[in-house]
Amino acid sequence: RPPTVIGQFHTLFFGSVRMFFLGILGFAVYGNEALHFSCDPDKSEVNLFCYNQFRPVISQVFWALQLVIVLVPGAFFHLYAACKSIKQEDILQNSFYSVFYIFSVFLRITLEAVAFWLQIHLFGFKVNAIYMCDVEALEKRFNITRCMVPEHFQKTIFLIAMYTFTVVTVVLCVAEIFEISCRWLGFLKTQ
């Protein structure tokens, strides 16, 4: 278990709610997005070309990768603690363990920030109903074609929810560092 109350809440929030949201609702919203993405003219080569332009990275894959990468620092710390048979209460009493743990939390914050930036760069904040695709590489008569994005409003809500999860995770990590600092300064008693 994480050595702080906030860390334990983060683990519950991160592990349960975020994974459930991504696994169940993400599939419902993004499921077969490529199959329902249609352009004018509605030809499979145009649809596929434009869909790859519209969505260079599949959203669910990106968010699943984000979850795994953000879990890695904590997993390394807990693996180290398990191998050394470090008890939960010893983490906050030993300065080396505390610094190592705080480093893993800072690394989580950094990875979440990078993922947040990438998500903005890849997906933006809103999914529009119409995507204007540049089909010049296909040597079509018109260089720009219009494509319909299925369930664009649901996808926008889901994007905002994923941004919110990232922000909540970062806030929890910062709060956890604050909790550890307060314990070091004697404002809070060690569990």
Side-chain angles (χ1 to χ4, degrees), residues 99-133:
V99 170
F100 187 19
Y101 185 74
I102 289 174
F103 175 74
S104 75
V105 175
F106 271 122
L107 195 53
R108 270 189 283 175
I109 292 170
T110 303
L111 293 170
E112 285 284 10
V114 168
F116 191 81
W117 179 83
L118 279 172
Q119 185 176 345
I120 290 170
H121 182 70
L122 290 170
F123 309 125
F125 288 98
K126 182 181 179 190
V127 179
N128 295 317
I130 303 292
Y131 175 73
M132 301 306 285
C133 177

Side-chain angles (χ1 to χ4, degrees), residues 10 36 62 76 79 84 106 108 121 137 147 181 186:
H10 170 267
H36 302 291
F62 175 82
F76 275 135
L79 181 64
K84 295 286 185 177
F106 271 122
R108 270 189 283 175
H121 182 70
C147 301
S181 301

Side-chain angles (χ1 to χ4, degrees), residues 34 37-39 41 43-56 131-140 142-145 147:
F37 189 85
S38 63
C39 300
K43 295 182 178 175
S44 61
E45 66 189 33
V46 173
N47 290 345
L48 184 60
F49 180 82
C50 290
Y51 179 74
N52 287 335
Q53 201 178 92
F54 168 71
R55 187 76 72 213
Y131 175 73
M132 301 306 285
C133 177
D134 182 4
V135 292
E136 185 176 4
L138 292 177
E139 298 178 12
K140 297 296 176 190
F142 300 106
N143 291 343
I144 304 293
T145 187
C147 301

Side-chain angles (χ1 to χ4, degrees), residues 5 33 37 45 47 57 71 85 126 144 147 151-152 160 175:
V5 173
E33 181 182 45
F37 189 85
E45 66 189 33
N47 290 345
V57 176
L71 285 173
S85 300
K126 182 181 179 190
I144 304 293
C147 301
E151 301 165 342
H152 66 291
I160 292 168

Side-chain angles (χ1 to χ4, degrees), residues 13-14 16-22 66-67 112 166 169:
F13 174 80
F14 189 84
S16 308
V17 176
R18 202 169 178 184
M19 286 185 187
F20 172 80
F21 194 83
L22 178 60
Q66 177 186 0
L67 287 174
E112 285 284 10
T166 301
T169 300

